[in-house]
Amino acid sequence: MKRVALLGMPNTGKSTFFNRITGASARVGNWPGVTVDLLGAKVLLGGEIVELVDLPGIYDLHGFSDDEQVVRHFLENNAVDLVLLIVNTSQIERQLSLVLQIKQLNLPAVVLLNMSDEARKFGITVDTQQMGEVLDLPTVSLSAKYGTGYKEAYQLINRAVQASHPVRLERIREMLAQDAQIEAAMEAALSKAVQIPVQLSDNLTARLDHVLLHPWFGLPLFFVVMYVLFQAIFFLGSPLQEGVGWALDQLRQGVLDPALAPAPAMLRGLLLDGIYNGVGTVAAFVPIIILFFLFMAIVEDTGYLSRAAFLMDALMSKMGLDGRSFVMMLMGFGCNVPALMGTRVMRSRALRLLTMLTIPFSLCSARLQVFIFITTALFTPRAAPVVLFSLYMFSFATAFLTALLFKKRFQNTEPFILELPPYRFPTLRQMALRGWHEARHFLNRASKFIIAGVVLVWLLTHFPAGAAPASPQTWAGMIGAFLSPLLDPIGINQQLAIALIFGFVAKEIVIGSLAVIYGMEGTALMGLMGHQLDWVQAYSFMLFTLIYTPCLSTIATIRSESKSLPFTLLAVGWPLGLAWLLSFAFYQGARALGY
Amino acid sequence: MNTVKLSALKPGEAGIISALNTEEDLFHRLAALGFRIGKQVNVIRGARFAGPLQVRIGTTDVMLRINEARKIDIKPLS
Ligand SMILES: Nc1nc2c(ncn2[C@@H]2O[C@H](COP(=O)(O)OP(=O)(O)OP(=O)(O)O)[C@@H](O)[C@H]2O)c(=O)[nH]1
Ligand SMILES: [Mg+2]
């Protein structure tokens, strides 16, 4: 099978093009370094099935960072039939250097001048035919985002695939000629085929930056934006979640209860009180998850993340981190795993490790579900959003504290240089793709972890046979009793202890298992928890859940990205200890104050 | 003509790059972002608390720390 690779500088639209041509839903974002790993898909090109590979962006072939090494490694270990070189047309004056480097390697290539829509807006014109002749490579202009010029590009690629033959490279670095030579070739091509206005006409970006990067208001504005976004998710999401919960409840009472009435009590309990209640309580959060990631997609695509890096870098440098570390923490609010992988753009290992140590404190969307559930159950509608926001503040605070404490051990002198791309806005299609992608990801986890988790919890809370469900005589009760010397001082009772243990695997299981443990779901469960717990216990439980450990996938990612067992142990052990200490301080402090 | 460090330019000022005094990997990254000898840089703004500078080089906006800006020699344009 022929292999076609997408190459280009970061943030030029490779993944956008990949999605358009394959129908896949690779992650897209206005941030250099969204793709940090290979992603392949099979497509029909030139009359045959070929493998198209989306690669991380590279600035040049000298690259040293981990994401750039992924590309070099790929090129050195795989025969490639054709390279699709994606260039951001607005920045052709510098991105041509990569095109010329690839050309030196004698790889068969097609040049795709992407973002033609933006180039036109900024007043940059490229004579595509001239450019193709000067470069001696087939060249076409298109907009991967809006689709203009896509047909022509597709036909050109088809023809190129038909004519292609595999090329295998070795020792790329040694093949690169002198930079001076490339510079001369660049000047020649630019002067022949490209016209750039003296004054760029991107007024929108300049005006927005004037406000958003304002020396005094920039940072406060950032926190206001964050606050408004999270409140919006809470206010829009809560009714949706209750609606789905209500519908699932009706389904159970109206259809499932009568249908399963003849089944043996044990089986009925497992199916309804175990799996249905557990999974249903979690599934009610699907609308919030989709909503959350729609907002995430918008924030990521606007280019505001780079601005956040700009605003926060001074503060981050005091903690031994940089602006990119902060952006990764923000990405971690969606899911910690891609954020951990996103640190591949950092070249210094110390900086990478220190950033990876802080990311697990980011309050990810799975933990958000737990907190929305508990805050709605135990706090007034007025107080709940504030409580939730305080947890986000704890999330930042613990991450910063961790960096401060460990910066000596992970010292680095990595230079900080980052592009500030123009502001953009995702199309509806891009948002829908992202929402769908995340919903699928969630259902995937649900079917893997959550069902197994709630079944286990059900067994633990109902056996040995004869014990009253969730009583101290059950296995769950015994585990709870065993852990009580550790958990009593932080106000976590035996029911919650079981939920915490399973939360180690995935946070989604926490609410699922609470539903099973208390034998109720949705609103009824919230009501009961409101009776059995007071707010001090609940907050202590949430603090512990926020800090103690993200989930097994996160730990596995830390292990594979750091390639170090001692580091992984540190990344698991330190948050566990910190979680206990903070919950202890909070719980005992609040009790001492008489709450 | 006299040269200064890029870090010495104020927002709104511009200059022509005359030398990049950096290690090899930073040199390549700067070159890929458009920092080449003879090119013009405009300083757009600086972040508070001695944070990074935002500079424009050709059609690309780049932020870099003062520390990195010190390694770039500039002939100021008045
Ligand atoms: N205006 C415009 N924006 C585009 C176009 N193609 C992509 N974009 C936007 O450019 C940004 C980067 O797109 P990606 O597809 O993530 O770029 P990438 O090259 O895969 O980036 P990395 O994976 O980080 O290297 C996103 O905000 C896209 O929506 C285009 O043709 N026109
Ligand atoms: Mg990508």
Side-chain angles (χ1 to χ4, degrees):
Chain A
M1 188 163 43
K2 285 189 173 175
R3 194 178 283 121
V4 178
L6 279 162
L7 273 183
M9 289 205 184
N11 209 29
T12 51
K14 296 176 294 299
S15 301
T16 308
F17 184 78
F18 179 81
N19 286 348
R20 186 171 280 280
I21 201 165
T22 63
S25 57
R27 179 127 163 244
V28 164
N30 197 3
W31 165 261
V34 172
T35 311
V36 288
D37 210 353
L38 309 173
L39 182 64
K42 298 194 172 37
V43 277
L44 189 67
L45 281 177
E48 56 189 304
I49 301 284
V50 305
E51 185 183 24
L52 186 64
V53 186
D54 185 22
L55 292 167
I58 49 171
Y59 284 99
D60 52 47
L61 289 166
H62 307 285
F64 293 97
S65 60
D66 286 350
D67 58 332
E68 290 179 306
Q69 255 158 36
V70 169
V71 177
R72 215 178 31 232
H73 209 250
F74 172 81
L75 289 176
E76 287 178 342
N77 289 291
N78 293 282
V80 174
D81 294 87
L82 181 68
V83 170
L84 305 180
L85 277 168
I86 309 235
V87 174
N88 173 354
T89 313
S90 320
Q91 301 181 339
I92 191 167
E93 39 135 19
R94 69 173 173 88
Q95 299 202 347
L96 221 43
S97 60
L98 182 64
V99 174
L100 291 165
Q101 283 187 0
I102 302 284
K103 192 169 137 64
Q104 275 188 349
L105 303 177
N106 286 321
L107 281 171
V110 171
V111 179
L112 304 174
L113 300 177
N114 191 26
M115 306 200 183
S116 58
D117 56 308
E118 269 182 9
R120 186 168 334 107
K121 225 170 51 201
F122 300 162
I124 295 162
T125 48
V126 179
D127 183 336
T128 315
Q129 198 176 347
Q130 269 285 346
M131 184 56 84
E133 279 168 22
V134 181
L135 292 176
D136 193 22
L137 291 173
T139 303
V140 65
S141 157
L142 81 158
S143 163
K145 183 171 172 182
Y146 298 105
T148 29
Y150 173 72
K151 264 220 185 82
E152 293 78 355
Y154 185 72
Q155 279 160 5
L156 199 68
I157 294 168
N158 272 305
R159 260 176 276 140
V161 168
Q162 275 165 358
S164 69
H165 57 90
V167 175
R168 177 135 191 189
L169 302 171
E170 272 154 47
R171 292 195 293 276
I172 289 177
R173 272 189 188 155
E174 287 166 28
M175 292 176 69
L176 293 174
Q178 289 305 308
D179 284 340
Q181 216 170 319
I182 287 197
E183 226 161 294
M186 255 172 94
E187 291 305 328
L190 288 173
S191 64
K192 278 217 180 91
V194 181
Q195 274 180 328
I196 299 172
V198 192
Q199 188 76 50
L200 264 200
S201 49
D202 187 11
N203 284 324
L204 179 68
T205 293
R207 275 208 307 268
L208 279 172
D209 272 346
H210 193 70
V211 179
L212 295 174
L213 297 183
H214 188 279
W216 291 115
F217 305 132
L219 215 46
L221 215 62
F222 169 78
F223 284 101
V224 171
V225 169
M226 297 285 292
Y227 187 76
V228 169
L229 276 183
F230 286 120
Q231 299 301 1
I233 291 165
F234 192 82
F235 280 112
L236 296 173
S238 276
L240 278 174
Q241 179 229 339
E242 277 164 33
V244 177
W246 179 84
L248 288 171
D249 218 22
Q250 295 299 309
L251 179 66
R252 170 162 182 182
Q253 285 171 12
V255 181
L256 295 178
D257 276 343
L260 282 174
M266 208 61 181
L267 181 66
R268 204 172 59 218
L270 175 64
L271 287 179
L272 290 176
D273 296 331
I275 296 177
Y276 188 81
N277 273 5
V279 175
T281 309
V282 184
F285 281 92
V286 170
I288 289 192
I289 294 292
I290 294 181
L291 196 70
F292 181 89
F293 279 103
L294 284 184
F295 279 131
M296 264 316 257
I298 295 175
V299 172
E300 281 179 12
D301 219 53
T302 53
Y304 192 49
L305 290 181
S306 305
R307 273 73 191 178
F310 178 80
L311 292 168
M312 289 295 288
D313 182 64
L315 183 62
M316 300 309 285
S317 75
K318 302 229 164 20
M319 301 176 225
L321 299 168
D322 71 23
R324 290 171 302 177
S325 317
F326 184 70
V327 170
M328 291 308 135
M329 287 179 201
L330 293 181
M331 277 192 185
F333 284 167
C335 174
N336 290 179
V337 172
L340 286 165
M341 298 184 61
T343 58
R344 287 185 184 182
V345 298
M346 298 166 177
R347 276 172 289 175
S348 134
R349 180 165 162 86
L351 176 62
R352 243 202 109 182
L353 291 182
L354 188 60
T355 305
M356 292 208 304
L357 205 55
T358 61
I359 289 173
F361 294 104
S362 282
L363 196 168
C364 66
S365 59
R367 275 172 271 185
L368 179 65
Q369 294 170 33
V370 181
F371 301 152
I372 288 183
F373 190 84
I374 294 181
T375 47
T376 327
L378 276 124
F379 294 88
T380 62
R382 291 263 314 272
V386 182
V387 171
L388 200 57
F389 195 69
S390 73
L391 288 165
Y392 276 104
M393 292 296 107
F394 264 109
S395 164
F396 278 125
T398 47
F400 292 170
L401 175 74
T402 300
L404 278 176
L405 286 176
F406 289 94
K407 74 171 181 184
K408 284 256 156 53
R409 289 189 49 188
F410 297 99
Q411 266 171 348
N412 69 84
T413 52
E414 166 128 347
F416 175 64
I417 300 181
L418 192 67
E419 290 171 61
L420 276 159
Y423 287 100
R424 300 185 170 119
F425 201 80
T427 57
L428 279 178
R429 181 193 143 94
Q430 283 177 324
M431 288 196 268
L433 263 183
R434 184 71 190 277
W436 160 236
H437 182 78
E438 296 298 343
R440 212 178 40 189
H441 178 75
F442 175 80
L443 293 175
N444 219 336
R445 277 173 72 103
S447 50
K448 237 196 271 157
F449 290 137
I450 304 174
I451 294 185
V454 293
V455 168
L456 251 175
V457 174
W458 189 84
L459 292 176
L460 285 178
T461 49
H462 287 75
F463 281 89
S471 68
Q473 284 74 42
T474 60
W475 288 328
M478 295 175 206
I479 297 174
F482 177 71
L483 288 174
S484 67
L486 217 57
L487 295 179
D488 281 348
I490 60 174
I492 291 178
N493 65 26
Q494 300 189 358
Q495 277 100 341
L496 294 180
I498 295 297
L500 273 187
I501 292 176
F502 283 89
F504 202 88
V505 178
K507 288 292 171 296
E508 286 91 343
I509 309 179
V510 171
I511 11 177
S513 46
L514 286 176
V516 176
I517 294 164
Y518 286 107
M520 293 181 178
E521 65 163 340
T523 341
L525 173 59
M526 286 186 179
L528 182 72
M529 286 181 62
H531 269 294
Q532 295 209 341
L533 301 174
D534 65 8
W535 74 269
V536 180
Q537 277 176 297
Y539 199 83
S540 175
F541 176 74
M542 290 196 288
L543 265 184
F544 197 87
T545 307
L546 168 66
I547 302 165
Y548 78 119
T549 247
C551 62
L552 270 189
S553 325
T554 304
I555 297 173
T557 309
I558 292 176
R559 174 89 176 92
S560 62
E561 293 294 306
S562 70
K563 299 186 186 68
S564 154
L565 186 61
F567 178 79
T568 311
L569 292 176
L570 174 69
V572 174
W574 158 246
L576 256 175
L578 183 64
W580 193 88
L581 283 176
L582 272 181
S583 293
F584 181 78
F586 171 80
Y587 184 75
Q588 297 300 339
R591 287 286 187 248
L593 289 173
Y595 286 107
Chain B
M1 232 184 107
N2 60 324
T3 64
V4 298
K5 306 290 178 202
L6 175 58
S7 52
L9 295 191
K10 306 235 154 10
E13 294 182 344
I16 306 287
I17 299 178
S18 59
L20 300 166
N21 313 309
T22 64
E23 321 75 78
E24 196 197 344
D25 55 344
L26 182 56
F27 178 85
H28 285 302
R29 177 59 59 88
L30 283 170
L33 284 168
F35 290 80
R36 285 164 199 268
I37 291 165
K39 289 265 186 277
Q40 179 176 337
V41 240
N42 293 54
V43 178
I44 310 292
R45 59 169 61 81
R48 276 285 132 190
F49 313 116
L53 295 176
Q54 179 187 353
V55 303
R56 182 162 302 155
I57 180 136
T59 51
T60 308
D61 275 18
V62 176
M63 64 179 113
L64 74 173
R65 281 188 181 161
I66 309 274
N67 218 3
E68 274 69 67
R70 277 201 200 104
K71 297 175 183 158
I72 301 173
D73 287 347
I74 299 284
K75 285 201 179 83
L77 296 170
S78 44

